[in-house]
Amino acid sequence: AIQLTQSPSSLSASVGDRVTITCRASQGISSALAWYQQKPGKAPKLLIYDASSLESGVPSRFSGSGSGTDFTLTISSLQPEDFATYYCQQFNSYPQWTFGQGTKVEIK
Amino acid sequence: QVQLVESGGGVVQPGGSLRLSCAASGFTFSSYGMHWVRQAPGKGLEWVAFIRYDGSNKYYADSVKGRFTISRDNSKNTLYLQMNSLRAEDTAVYYCAKDRRAAAGNWFDPWGQGTLVTVSS
């Protein structure tokens, strides 16, 4: 099974900071990667699909990049509403799907 | 507007059974594969099961294989998860989620609000 490893597991940042989260796959997954944002007590919300495609309605400060085994989610200027946990997910190995362990973004 | 609403969660004893439902609206339910995903308290997301749009194929995570059964009723726009032989480690919020494209094997969007299952004596 393909495993996804996110780093860091948590980070502290200030409003306006540039934040980068990494997701590494245990084997190549082409561009079959999505990113989700989850706030406490809420369902995950799709941000990015196909590694770099921005979901409609998601602010342009979010961007994704990468292919193969190494991927990044970047928030160009962190806003108060961005404090949340972020998950990557691979959908290359149908019919098995896996998530990274999550990255919690906290206020510094 | 696409909407998924889960129900059926609750407290059940170890070894017991529970059936979750997910009512779908706002899209052609019979054209899309559907998933169950769970999240244990304070933990990350774990994919649980998938069913193709017509119910012809079903797939499970190893952690639930042989104990959980995913099904759907396209006439009622409803997804189900029958959970048997429940264990303490099955305690989690269970989300249903729509496979994004009609062809299976994609990302999940949207997700329901989740329903909490607690396995405890």
Side-chain angles (χ1 to χ4, degrees), chain B residues 2 38 54 70 79 84 88 113:
Chain B
V2 176
R38 68 183 181 183
D54 58 358
I70 189 171
L79 175 73
N84 298 332
Q113 87 287 350

Side-chain angles (χ1 to χ4, degrees), chain B residues 53-112:
Chain B
Y53 67 99
D54 58 358
S56 60
N57 293 91
K58 306 172 185 181
Y59 303 100
Y60 301 93
D62 288 343
S63 57
V64 306
K65 201 171 295 183
R67 300 187 299 122
F68 289 12
T69 301
I70 189 171
S71 62
R72 65 191 297 158
D73 185 337
N74 285 346
S75 68
K76 296 182 178 179
N77 289 348
T78 303
L79 175 73
Y80 302 101
L81 185 67
Q82 177 67 44
M83 304 186 293
N84 298 332
S85 302
L86 283 162
R87 307 166 179 166
E89 54 265 36
D90 295 319
T91 295
V93 173
Y94 284 75
Y95 297 99
C96 64
K98 171 181 165 290
D99 206 78
R100 180 60 175 266
R101 291 180 174 152
N106 299 283
W107 57 99
F108 306 168
D109 179 64
W111 300 54

Side-chain angles (χ1 to χ4, degrees), chain A residues 34 36 38 41-46 48-50 55-56 87 89 91-92 94-101, chain B residues 35 37 39 43-47 50 52 59-61 95 99-101 104-109 111-113:
Chain A
Y36 301 88
Q38 187 180 34
K42 300 294 186 181
K45 172 190 171 185
L46 177 69
I48 301 284
Y49 61 93
D50 286 343
E55 171 68 355
S56 176
Y87 294 92
Q89 177 217 2
F91 49 94
N92 184 72
Y94 175 85
Q96 295 286 319
W97 292 260
T98 49
F99 292 90
Q101 82 278 15
Chain B
H35 301 265
V37 179
Q39 186 170 37
K43 302 298 184 182
L45 301 168
E46 179 188 17
W47 172 77
F50 169 74
R52 283 177 58 91
Y59 303 100
Y60 301 93
Y95 297 99
D99 206 78
R100 180 60 175 266
R101 291 180 174 152
N106 299 283
W107 57 99
F108 306 168
D109 179 64
W111 300 54
Q113 87 287 350

Side-chain angles (χ1 to χ4, degrees), chain A residues 11-62:
Chain A
L11 65 89
S12 296
S14 301
V15 173
D17 284 353
R18 182 181 182 89
V19 170
T20 298
I21 300 168
T22 297
C23 178
R24 176 162 289 174
S26 59
Q27 62 190 76
I29 58 171
S30 186
S31 297
L33 191 96
W35 289 96
Y36 301 88
Q37 176 193 68
Q38 187 180 34
K39 296 182 179 180
K42 300 294 186 181
K45 172 190 171 185
L46 177 69
L47 299 176
I48 301 284
Y49 61 93
D50 286 343
S52 61
S53 295
L54 187 68
E55 171 68 355
S56 176
V58 173
S60 59
R61 63 181 179 273
F62 291 92

